[in-house]
Amino acid sequence: MLADYGDRTRGFGHCSFHFHGFGNSAGYAGTPLAINAAQYTGTSICGLCVQYRGVGQGLGGNPVSTAWQPGFICDECPECRFGDLDQQMGGDGRWRVEWYPMQCPVGSTTFKFGFQGGNPWYKKMMVANARVPLSNVRLWQDGAWLQLIKTIANYW
């Protein structure tokens, strides 16, 4: 099912894309989506691009189009059931959808970086605009690779 629970800022949610405007990056085409809690695997799913469409069954005044359309995962929908997505846009109802993951259409664009923190002991970095969600990030420091740790807010 796909739910519409009201307007939200593009890319708002656990994945923190809104802090740097990454919800509008070329690689994140389509609708910002929240995925159900059962399939939300923490920030490891942030930035996953999907194709989805309505299958015509549901309740409400605005059915989901039956044409395939792009979206990207940027949040969790705690009240959604397994397989459900939330469109994070104005609307009403719950509509049956089908969806599948795909590579993000980044083309020849580069990674985008956003930073938080401002002292010598604390800085967080977000990496966005990847074809698939990143599973690790390493930093070259003092002649060796340093494995960064991902936070619950999608920063490294």
Side-chain angles (χ1 to χ4, degrees):
M1 297 294 269
L2 189 124
D4 284 329
Y5 289 110
D7 291 327
R8 297 185 191 178
T9 304
R10 184 169 174 77
F12 188 80
H14 288 314
C15 298
S16 304
F17 290 132
H18 62 291
F19 286 123
H20 305 290
F22 293 155
N24 295 316
S25 295
Y28 302 124
T31 305
L33 300 167
I35 194 167
N36 62 84
Q39 290 178 290
Y40 180 77
T41 55
T43 56
S44 65
I45 200 164
C46 290
L48 176 71
C49 290
V50 301
Q51 285 283 331
Y52 71 99
R53 70 177 181 178
V55 295
Q57 302 151 335
L59 299 170
N62 300 310
V64 177
S65 171
T66 57
W68 286 105
Q69 51 195 313
F72 68 97
I73 305 300
C74 65
D75 200 4
E76 174 187 12
C77 177
E79 61 277 3
C80 292
R81 290 184 232 134
F82 186 89
D84 288 359
L85 300 172
D86 179 345
Q87 279 187 309
Q88 295 197 334
M89 59 195 320
D92 68 339
R94 295 180 67 81
W95 299 91
R96 187 165 307 283
V97 294
E98 57 183 350
W99 61 273
Y100 65 89
M102 59 178 263
Q103 285 190 355
C104 294
V106 298
S108 62
T109 61
T110 60
F111 291 125
K112 294 185 180 284
F113 300 93
F115 298 92
Q116 279 189 350
N119 66 55
W121 302 277
Y122 174 78
K123 183 154 304 265
K124 296 189 302 186
M125 175 181 68
M126 180 182 291
V127 183
N129 209 41
R131 291 187 191 282
V132 296
L134 300 177
S135 62
N136 72 62
V137 172
R138 296 184 305 162
L139 178 70
W140 184 257
Q141 181 178 357
D142 299 328
W145 287 106
L146 173 65
Q147 179 69 44
L148 302 183
I149 298 168
K150 198 166 193 183
T151 71
I152 61 169
N154 197 32
Y155 284 87
W156 299 90

